[in-house]
Amino acid sequence: MGKVGAGGGSPAGLSALLAGAGLLVLCVPGACGGGSCCPQLPPGSAPRWAATPGGFVGRGPRGRAAATPLPLLGRPLFAVAPGDRALSLERAPGTAASVAMAPRAARRRRSEAEPGKADRGEGASRSPRGMLRDGGQPGPETLERDPDKATRFRMEELRLTSTTFALTGDSAHNQAMVHWSGHNSSVILILTKLYDYNLGSITESSLWRSTDYGTTYEKLNDKVGLKTILSYLYVCPTNKRKIMLLTDPEIESSLLISSDEGATYQKYRLNFYIQSLLFHPKQEDWILAYSQDQKLYSSAEFGRRWQLIQEGVVPNRFYWSVMGSNKEPDLVHLEARTIDGHSQYLTCRMQNCTEANRNKPFPGYIDPDSLIVQDDYVFVQLTSGGRPHYYVSYRRNAFAQMKLPKYALPKDMHVISTDENQVFAAVQEWNQNDTYNLYISDTRGVYFTLALENVQSSRGPEGNIMIDLYEVAGIKGMFLANKKIDNQVKTFITYNKGRDWRLLQAPDTDLRGDPVHCLLPYCSLHLHLKVSENPYTSGIIASRDTAPSIIVASGNIGSELSDSDISMFVSSDAGNTWRQIFEEEHSVLYLDQGGVLVAMKHTSLPIRHLWLSFDEGRSWSKYSFTSIPLFVDGVLGEPGEETLIMTVFGHFSHRSEWQLVKVDYKSIFDRRCAEEDYRPWQLHSQGEACIMGAKRVYKKRKSERKCMQGKYAGAMESEPCVCTEADFDCDYGYERHSNGQCLPAFWFNPSSLSKDCSLGQSYLNSTGYRKVVSNNCTDGVREQYTAKPQKCPGKAPRGLRIVTADGKLTAEQGHNVTLMVQLEEGDVQRTLIQVDFGDGVAVSYVNLSSMEDGIKHVYHNVGIFRVTVQVDNGLGSDSAVLYLHVTCPLEHVHLSLPFVTTKNKEVNATAVLWPSQVGTLTYVWWYGNNTEPLITLEGSISFKFTSEGMNTITVQVSAGNAILQDTKSIAVYEEFRSLRLSFSPNLDDYNPDIPEWRRDISRVIKKSLVEATGVPGEHILVAVLPGLPTAAELFVLPYQDPTGESKRSAEDLEQISELLIHKLNQNSVHFELKPGVQILVHAAHLTAAPLVDLTPTHSGSAMLMLLSVVFVGLAVFVIYKFKRKIPGINVYAQMQNEKEREMVSRVSPTESRPHIPQTELRRPGQLIDEKVDSQLLGSISIVAENQSTKEIPTYVNV
């Protein structure tokens, strides 16, 4: 692979990733008004390894044929690798184009005449950062100038063979996509488009085709349809003759397919809108299509027919099977979202992806956007307990949790490479913000050891994480990394996959041969390793598989990496020594297997010259490629192994047509190279010839021979080395100390055995070292450092745990819950495991291997169940307990509360639930003017109000991952009268028994009472009660003026009550429910609070009636006080009818609801301290639902 899964990448790696995509994007910086261009990019067209914040990402499998039409990242524009022969260009109207490789071109505009001269004038010299030199004169400590080491520039202008073709009629078009088939093909296809930035759509397009390497082009609009607007161009990666064009979906959704390199096309209509495509890496006709509505389709006929695979697929999380790891070549790996929003990993066959044929390789759900299928590995992420956990499957075996050092506590992880049966990952640990640590794994990708700390990272324009790590192409195990040390960023290099790192030695001389005084470790060479600062421009470091010794990059000399004083450097011996080649940034293209380097300066001005080097950057010759200066938009190299034809795309002015300049370098050479033109070159690291356990010798062309190389021959020979300590890294759990020894970390117990180790079997006992993966050394100390097989001693079980598969402590009633039994060590093959689910069901197993997929169980009742597991192997035993909360969804909450109460009198409030049995609940109560809630585990509380007025009470019920609430209001007075009302029976026919209807009818009843009696509305409150037959409560209330002085006494309330009863008994209160439907209001009975009248003028009959009422009231009070202690019975309010239907259901799963006085309530802190003693194992997202019924508006204002 190439660069980081979250940053830029090496061209070699990206050529594997994007092989055959056939398209490369160039968007001119600033063409969109700043920031990123190409707004028409389909979501998901970014490379698969582009990181999202906080996500678990990887770059996509090696050899995977990503079919995005616009590969945006990690590709040096002037270094297109073989197989990636396409370019996409963009400019905005009225904006001068520039070389897209130059995001910093606007900062430095220098004279084009001589690359070795800076802005300061002829002869001025520039000191590297951290060095002192005045005016180009050597200081007292400098050495004399060495002309032989200076980079030589031949200023005589030479002419390259070139032709220019203008795409006439497309001057308004501001985007272009180019495909060059190559591989003995002379066909080039160009799709130009006019993208309207205001409309956000494509309004015009043209298709051009050349059959003579770009000398001339033919316009094909009539062959695809004159009115057809094309949006994207796709090329089959395994058969470049097959072309696919996609129309603009806003006009029509169609595909145009060609099997003859774009000469003819057939149109096929689609019933969905394509967002991205993924070609199969082997089968040329197999394609996956991702639609804009998140559906995944497959085609086995190169897009002529499509079949739906799966709905709800996560963008960019679908993969073809990897050859060698999957037996079925048509197997598709995908991440899909369930109806409730969870993500799960699925696999199925492309033409048979029914529910019955889908597999779920990972038990349970995974974190959204976390699936990666890459080479022999599958990665997923699962967050529990607030921490992300990473799992890996090697060669499609069972998933295992990835083991980092115990206290790494990762916040974020990115898979960098899975080459050569090893995982290279960047991990951001708990104490890091802008840096990552590099870790390298064993073959299975399970156990990771530290390779390099504090690698610099940054965030790209699309929000993706960019990590400063670069894998050098052509040399196995060689990486460059920018490490942050004391707030300084320095560049380090490794030749053995992170086993050893060192700083880069700065060049001995500068561009002119003046000596450079730069001593390690205080001063060194630092390189910019980001392949791309902008997803639409290419990067500033390049290497090639076919030129393994040559690295070209921009950087600076000094104590740290800097964004100023940037120069270009080249190494022709794989990073051992470096030479400065330009004092300003250039883009470099490798031609003829690195035998020719082409450099074009980053500038916003039009140019007509470029520079060629035939001796690996030691000398440069100036060539003109056009007679008229050109604003360069991009360059595309010829596909194939020789790569001697180049096409430059640009404009003479911002109003002109696209100009295509074909440059043919073949005329430079007069012959092909012979055997005597080459010399052997041995790869080494500061003189050490054994790299990754082998001595490798390559064949390089002699610098003085100017001949065409042709096909790359690779290494001449490779000889294994004798193993030394340098070929071994520290094993998992071990750390390298200052003396070079690998010793156990403080948290690691070397004597711990594998849980799969059983008596009579063998296990590998680590020596603290493990051989670097892909290291080819033999003999030597290999036997000393290699893990030794030992017989497994019988060991008692230890470290037993039982958890749910998703890490949560909750399960849903009637649904399967998967329990996982984990054992750190012990003889598991002869182990008896007994599991008691706590609901009367128990099972036994003879060994842990039979429980690898978990134990599934269904709970039919809600409650808290004590799940126990007992393990016994004859040598000892261990047990573990899990307290599992089984719940069912809470659907509705109703707060039962009196409508009116008296001051300083205890009020009972009860939360009634539906369904009543939902499991463990937490109640949060808000009432009065309290600023803090009261939290209880019971659904009923009692409280008093000490002042008159209206008060609001809210109860929130937390059940599992949902919160529901209800709110009511209660009126508080010193005294009031209450009268039960009944109605004509026909009212029941129109009673839907919902709160809204009761509020409206209460308003109508109150209006009728006011009209019939003349009593002011302030004295009347009407509340229609729930249930049938329809009944209501009439409250006679004292009225207070704004000063708070009461205008009515108890006698006044009595008079009002008598007046109301009189009118009700005379049938004077009635209302019209609807035309022709009259409702009569009757008086049922009168109660009072308080009822006792202490005036001395009472008749005997009145006194008898009063005593009767008091006796009845006392009986009601006694029943009320004892009824609250009867299981299953709920008191709705102090003065409410017992027959109300909504109050019948039980308020909690418990058998009784004891009275809870206010003094027994707990504050939130008290509840946590005194009542809760649990361990949070799962991350629960809270969904708050407000189901307030607001019954007090039912009563109308007081």
Side-chain angles (χ1 to χ4, degrees):
M1 131 166 204
K3 204 153 183 191
V4 169
S10 82
L14 283 168
S15 66
L17 172 62
L18 301 172
L23 304 163
L24 179 65
V25 172
L26 169 63
C27 301
V28 177
C32 304
S36 301
C37 301
C38 299
Q40 87 285 8
L41 289 176
S45 60
R48 299 301 172 112
W49 39 259
T52 55
F56 178 45
V57 300
R59 60 144 172 90
R62 189 182 189 192
R64 170 183 184 174
T68 167
L70 300 172
L72 304 178
L73 293 176
R75 188 181 305 260
L77 180 61
F78 287 86
V80 181
D84 293 331
R85 300 301 162 221
L87 174 68
S88 192
L89 309 163
E90 177 166 351
R91 61 168 182 168
T95 304
S98 65
V99 179
M101 290 293 297
R104 301 187 183 89
R107 296 205 300 259
R108 292 182 305 281
R109 297 184 180 179
R110 298 174 179 169
S111 171
E112 185 192 354
E114 187 173 344
K117 305 299 180 183
D119 291 338
R120 293 166 299 211
E122 187 76 23
S125 68
R126 189 177 65 178
S127 301
R129 183 178 176 89
M131 298 163 47
L132 297 175
R133 188 165 63 234
D134 185 17
Q137 301 300 320
E141 296 181 3
T142 62
L143 303 176
E144 295 183 0
R145 171 178 296 183
D146 187 351
D148 294 335
K149 294 186 177 181
T151 302
R152 299 182 296 275
F153 292 92
R154 180 180 178 182
M155 301 309 299
E156 175 187 356
E157 182 175 313
L158 304 174
R159 177 73 182 178
L160 289 168
T161 302
S162 64
T163 58
T164 302
F165 186 88
L167 302 183
T168 306
D170 290 350
S171 59
H173 290 193
N174 53 9
Q175 296 178 355
M177 303 179 70
V178 186
H179 165 66
W180 193 343
S181 294
H183 302 286
N184 300 319
S185 174
S186 60
V187 174
I188 301 176
L189 288 174
I190 301 179
L191 172 62
T192 65
K193 301 176 288 184
L194 172 60
Y195 184 84
D196 191 311
Y197 294 95
N198 296 320
L199 297 177
S201 61
I202 301 168
T203 56
E204 295 180 15
S205 67
S206 296
L207 183 64
W208 299 82
R209 185 172 186 262
S210 172
T211 57
D212 54 8
Y213 290 96
T215 303
T216 59
Y217 289 84
E218 175 190 3
K219 199 170 188 177
L220 303 181
N221 283 25
D222 55 337
K223 293 187 178 181
V224 299
L226 294 175
K227 295 184 178 180
T228 300
I229 297 180
L230 304 174
S231 58
Y232 293 104
L233 169 66
Y234 293 87
V235 183
C236 176
T238 53
N239 184 354
K240 299 298 180 65
R241 295 181 59 83
K242 292 189 174 183
I243 309 295
M244 183 180 292
L245 297 171
L246 183 62
T247 62
D248 185 5
E250 294 190 5
I251 298 176
E252 63 172 331
S253 183
S254 300
L255 287 175
L256 286 89
I257 297 174
S258 173
S259 299
D260 52 10
E261 289 189 286
T264 60
Y265 293 90
Q266 293 176 308
K267 180 180 283 190
Y268 297 87
R269 293 195 175 275
L270 300 172
N271 57 2
F272 62 95
Y273 299 108
I274 292 179
Q275 179 169 304
S276 61
L277 295 179
L278 183 65
F279 290 99
H280 194 278
K282 299 293 183 181
Q283 301 291 332
E284 61 185 54
D285 290 334
W286 292 4
I287 309 174
L288 296 178
Y290 186 74
S291 68
Q292 294 181 3
D293 56 354
Q294 298 187 341
K295 295 179 180 178
L296 187 65
Y297 296 83
S298 67
S299 173
E301 303 176 50
F302 199 73
R304 293 172 177 85
R305 292 184 180 85
W306 295 93
Q307 179 176 331
L308 177 65
I309 293 182
Q310 175 70 34
E311 298 182 0
V313 177
V314 178
N316 296 322
R317 300 297 176 180
F318 51 92
Y319 308 83
W320 282 112
S321 62
V322 178
M323 299 296 100
S325 295
N326 293 109
K327 297 178 181 178
E328 306 90 354
D330 62 342
L331 190 68
V332 178
H333 303 258
L334 58 93
E335 179 184 332
R337 290 194 177 97
T338 60
I339 298 177
D340 54 1
H342 293 99
S343 289
Q344 56 185 354
Y345 168 31
L346 304 176
T347 60
C348 62
R349 309 287 287 272
M350 63 176 289
Q351 297 295 324
N352 188 21
C353 197
T354 62
E355 183 68 30
N357 293 317
R358 295 190 191 111
N359 294 317
K360 298 178 182 179
F362 185 82
Y365 299 125
I366 64 175
D367 286 357
D369 202 30
S370 69
L371 174 66
I372 299 171
V373 181
Q374 189 166 307
D375 296 326
D376 287 336
Y377 302 90
V378 179
F379 304 93
V380 297
Q381 174 180 318
L382 177 63
T383 299
S384 63
R387 296 179 183 175
H389 301 278
Y390 305 99
Y391 294 84
V392 61
S393 167
Y394 177 61
R395 292 185 176 175
R396 309 306 180 258
N397 293 315
F399 278 89
Q401 186 170 347
M402 298 165 68
K403 301 292 186 180
L404 294 166
K406 186 173 183 179
Y407 296 107
L409 304 179
K411 297 189 297 185
D412 189 24
M413 177 183 287
H414 302 286
V415 174
I416 297 171
S417 169
T418 55
D419 295 342
E420 300 170 341
N421 295 320
Q422 190 174 37
V423 179
F424 208 1
V427 176
Q428 188 172 64
E429 300 186 10
W430 65 275
N431 57 349
Q432 294 179 305
N433 294 316
D434 58 352
T435 60
Y436 281 72
N437 289 348
L438 299 181
Y439 284 91
I440 197 162
S441 78
D442 61 349
T443 300
R444 295 191 302 129
V446 174
Y447 294 98
F448 285 78
T449 56
L450 183 65
L452 184 65
E453 291 183 296
N454 296 321
V455 177
Q456 179 71 12
S457 72
S458 60
R459 193 170 296 278
E462 301 300 314
N464 55 304
I465 301 298
M466 313 286 288
I467 300 175
D468 279 10
L469 179 71
Y470 183 83
E471 183 176 6
V472 178
I475 300 179
K476 180 177 61 176
M478 182 176 175
F479 290 86
L480 292 162
N482 284 331
K483 179 178 179 179
K484 193 171 185 179
I485 305 175
D486 297 329
N487 292 322
Q488 289 185 327
V489 178
K490 302 174 182 289
T491 301
F492 287 78
I493 189 171
T494 179
Y495 292 86
N496 52 9
K497 240 179 181 181
R499 163 55 168 85
D500 301 290
W501 297 84
R502 63 172 175 82
L503 293 167
L504 295 180
Q505 178 65 59
D508 294 333
T509 62
D510 65 6
L511 193 66
R512 299 168 186 80
D514 292 331
V516 174
H517 184 67
C518 183
L519 298 178
L520 293 172
Y522 311 103
C523 174
S524 58
L525 174 64
H526 310 286
L527 304 178
H528 290 275
L529 304 181
K530 295 183 179 69
V531 167
S532 175
E533 291 186 349
N534 185 308
Y536 309 105
T537 62
S538 51
I540 46 183
I541 184 170
S543 60
R544 290 292 175 271
D545 284 318
T546 55
S549 63
I550 303 176
I551 309 171
V552 181
S554 67
N556 65 279
I557 300 173
S559 59
E560 64 176 319
L561 183 66
S562 171
D563 287 329
S564 60
D565 295 334
I566 296 177
S567 299
M568 296 299 297
F569 298 89
V570 64
S571 174
S572 57
D573 57 3
N576 285 280
T577 61
W578 296 81
R579 294 187 304 277
Q580 184 181 12
I581 54 176
F582 297 105
E583 284 190 333
E584 52 221 340
E585 288 185 81
H586 282 63
S587 299
V588 178
L589 173 68
Y590 287 64
L591 297 180
D592 191 31
Q593 315 306 333
V596 180
L597 299 179
V598 181
M600 188 176 292
K601 187 172 69 173
H602 286 182
T603 177
S604 60
L605 302 175
I607 59 175
R608 64 186 188 92
H609 298 103
L610 49 77
W611 297 87
L612 295 183
S613 175
F614 301 92
D615 54 6
E616 300 176 341
R618 293 178 178 84
S619 62
W620 296 83
S621 299
K622 185 177 182 180
Y623 286 81
S624 64
F625 63 92
T626 178
S627 57
I628 304 175
L630 186 75
F631 290 101
V632 176
D633 296 323
V635 177
L636 183 64
E638 176 198 11
E641 294 172 338
E642 297 181 0
T643 315
L644 288 173
I645 296 179
M646 184 177 75
T647 300
V648 182
F649 304 85
H651 300 79
F652 292 137
S653 69
H654 65 266
R655 297 181 181 274
S656 68
E657 292 88 358
W658 293 93
Q659 304 293 326
L660 309 180
V661 182
K662 171 190 172 184
V663 182
D664 191 344
Y665 294 91
K666 292 181 180 179
S667 60
I668 298 176
F669 302 102
D670 54 8
R671 65 182 180 88
R672 284 188 174 271
C673 294
E675 191 63 32
E676 59 269 16
D677 295 314
Y678 292 94
R679 64 178 178 87
W681 174 78
Q682 185 172 51
L683 174 65
H684 66 93
S685 170
Q686 299 296 301
E688 174 57 54
C690 286
I691 304 291
M692 293 292 286
K695 297 179 180 178
R696 282 170 282 176
V697 178
Y698 295 84
K699 184 171 66 173
K700 296 182 68 171
R701 193 188 65 185
K702 297 177 180 178
S703 59
E704 67 273 11
R705 304 295 176 90
K706 191 177 179 181
C707 57
M708 186 170 61
Q709 294 191 99
K711 187 175 181 180
Y712 174 64
M716 290 177 58
E717 59 184 48
S718 178
E719 177 186 346
C721 297
V722 174
C723 292
T724 66
E725 189 270 343
D727 297 307
F728 290 82
D729 207 348
C730 291
D731 204 351
Y732 175 76
Y734 291 81
E735 298 173 338
R736 190 175 300 279
H737 287 241
S738 56
N739 59 2
Q741 289 186 334
C742 293
L743 301 176
F746 74 92
W747 49 265
F748 183 68
N749 180 14
S751 64
S752 62
L753 305 179
S754 168
K755 69 175 183 179
D756 297 324
C757 189
S758 299
L759 187 64
Q761 295 182 341
S762 298
Y763 74 101
L764 292 176
N765 186 20
S766 176
T767 61
Y769 298 84
R770 70 183 184 195
K771 191 178 177 182
V772 175
V773 176
S774 302
N775 187 294
N776 298 319
C777 74
T778 60
D779 301 328
V781 299
R782 184 178 63 173
E783 184 67 22
Q784 176 184 346
Y785 286 141
T786 301
K788 306 297 189 296
Q790 290 187 5
K791 292 293 183 180
C792 295
K795 203 161 190 181
R798 188 183 67 84
L800 181 66
R801 294 181 64 223
I802 181 168
V803 296
T804 58
D806 56 7
K808 297 181 179 179
L809 294 174
T810 60
E812 191 170 336
Q813 178 189 12
H815 291 70
N816 262 323
V817 57
T818 302
L819 300 171
M820 310 296 294
V821 177
Q822 302 169 351
L823 185 65
E824 287 186 8
E825 63 180 41
D827 187 358
V828 298
Q829 297 301 324
R830 295 174 175 83
T831 299
L832 176 64
I833 303 103
Q834 295 178 315
V835 181
D836 187 339
F837 297 103
D839 60 349
V841 179
V843 294
S844 298
Y845 298 87
V846 294
N847 57 63
L848 279 179
S849 60
S850 58
M851 306 165 57
E852 289 181 351
D853 296 331
I855 309 169
K856 296 189 183 327
H857 185 65
V858 176
Y859 286 91
H860 299 287
N861 298 309
V862 299
I864 303 177
F865 295 90
R866 187 175 187 268
V867 185
T868 60
V869 58
Q870 178 82 20
V871 175
D872 191 337
N873 66 359
L875 299 174
S877 63
D878 197 4
S879 62
V881 177
L882 171 68
Y883 296 97
L884 186 66
H885 294 242
V886 178
T887 63
C888 70
L890 180 61
E891 300 178 10
H892 180 73
V893 174
H894 176 83
L895 178 58
S896 172
L897 192 70
F899 302 123
V900 184
T901 188
T902 55
K903 188 172 65 173
N904 294 321
K905 188 162 187 177
E906 196 172 75
V907 177
N908 183 57
T910 301
V912 182
L913 313 178
W914 179 261
S916 60
Q917 302 288 338
V918 293
T920 306
L921 302 173
T922 302
Y923 298 84
V924 182
W925 304 86
W926 303 81
Y927 69 92
N929 297 322
N930 290 358
T931 58
E932 292 187 8
L934 297 176
I935 301 177
T936 70
L937 299 178
E938 299 291 339
S940 179
I941 64 171
S942 297
F943 47 86
K944 297 179 181 179
F945 292 101
T946 59
S947 60
E948 294 184 292
M950 295 300 300
N951 291 274
T952 300
I953 299 178
T954 298
V955 60
Q956 295 177 326
V957 183
S958 176
N961 61 346
I963 296 178
L964 277 68
Q965 79 172 31
D966 191 13
T967 300
K968 297 289 177 59
S969 294
I970 183 172
V972 181
Y973 291 98
E974 187 76 34
E975 55 183 342
F976 61 89
R977 298 294 186 271
S978 174
L979 179 65
R980 179 61 60 90
L981 303 178
S982 60
F983 305 93
S984 305
N986 58 343
L987 181 59
D988 293 343
D989 298 334
Y990 302 95
N991 184 356
D993 199 19
I994 60 175
E996 294 88 341
W997 185 87
R998 293 194 289 269
R999 282 197 296 268
D1000 290 337
I1001 292 298
S1002 298
R1003 191 178 301 110
V1004 173
I1005 297 170
K1006 177 181 176 180
K1007 181 180 178 183
S1008 301
L1009 288 168
V1010 171
E1011 292 175 351
T1013 63
V1015 176
E1018 293 82 358
H1019 287 291
I1020 298 175
L1021 186 149
V1022 178
V1024 176
L1025 304 177
L1028 294 174
T1030 307
E1033 196 84 22
L1034 169 61
F1035 297 95
V1036 181
L1037 308 174
Y1039 170 68
Q1040 290 184 336
D1041 60 17
T1043 64
E1045 297 180 359
S1046 177
K1047 293 184 176 181
R1048 298 284 182 176
S1049 63
E1051 296 179 0
D1052 295 330
L1053 294 181
E1054 195 67 37
Q1055 293 176 1
I1056 295 174
S1057 300
E1058 292 176 358
L1059 177 59
L1060 290 171
I1061 293 174
H1062 177 70
K1063 291 295 183 180
L1064 289 168
N1065 290 338
Q1066 289 184 341
N1067 296 330
S1068 300
V1069 183
H1070 53 80
F1071 59 91
E1072 187 177 49
L1073 183 65
K1074 58 186 301 185
V1077 179
Q1078 289 288 331
I1079 305 298
L1080 191 63
V1081 184
H1082 306 282
H1085 61 270
L1086 175 68
T1087 61
L1091 284 176
V1092 180
D1093 189 347
L1094 300 178
T1095 56
T1097 57
H1098 290 301
S1099 63
S1101 60
M1103 184 61 68
L1104 181 60
M1105 180 180 294
L1106 180 60
L1107 291 175
S1108 301
V1109 171
V1110 170
F1111 178 76
V1112 173
L1114 183 59
V1116 170
F1117 176 77
V1118 172
I1119 294 173
Y1120 166 73
K1121 294 296 288 183
F1122 283 92
K1123 183 182 292 184
R1124 294 173 56 194
K1125 301 183 181 297
I1126 300 175
I1129 301 299
N1130 301 300
V1131 177
Y1132 181 78
Q1134 182 180 357
M1135 300 177 183
Q1136 209 144 333
N1137 195 307
E1138 300 173 9
K1139 296 181 181 180
E1140 295 167 12
R1141 193 183 65 178
E1142 290 185 12
M1143 302 305 110
V1144 175
S1145 59
R1146 295 167 60 185
V1147 299
S1148 83
T1150 58
E1151 294 184 357
S1152 64
R1153 180 70 65 189
H1155 168 75
I1156 303 177
Q1158 185 172 352
T1159 56
E1160 294 182 15
L1161 298 176
R1162 296 291 187 267
R1163 299 289 179 182
Q1166 293 174 307
L1167 184 67
I1168 293 174
D1169 293 338
E1170 299 177 20
K1171 294 292 185 181
V1172 180
D1173 184 18
S1174 62
Q1175 181 181 8
L1176 179 62
L1177 294 184
S1179 176
I1180 301 177
S1181 60
I1182 300 299
V1183 180
E1185 181 178 350
N1186 187 344
Q1187 293 195 357
S1188 171
T1189 57
K1190 282 286 185 181
E1191 288 284 4
I1192 188 59
T1194 307
Y1195 323 141
V1196 191
N1197 52 5
V1198 177

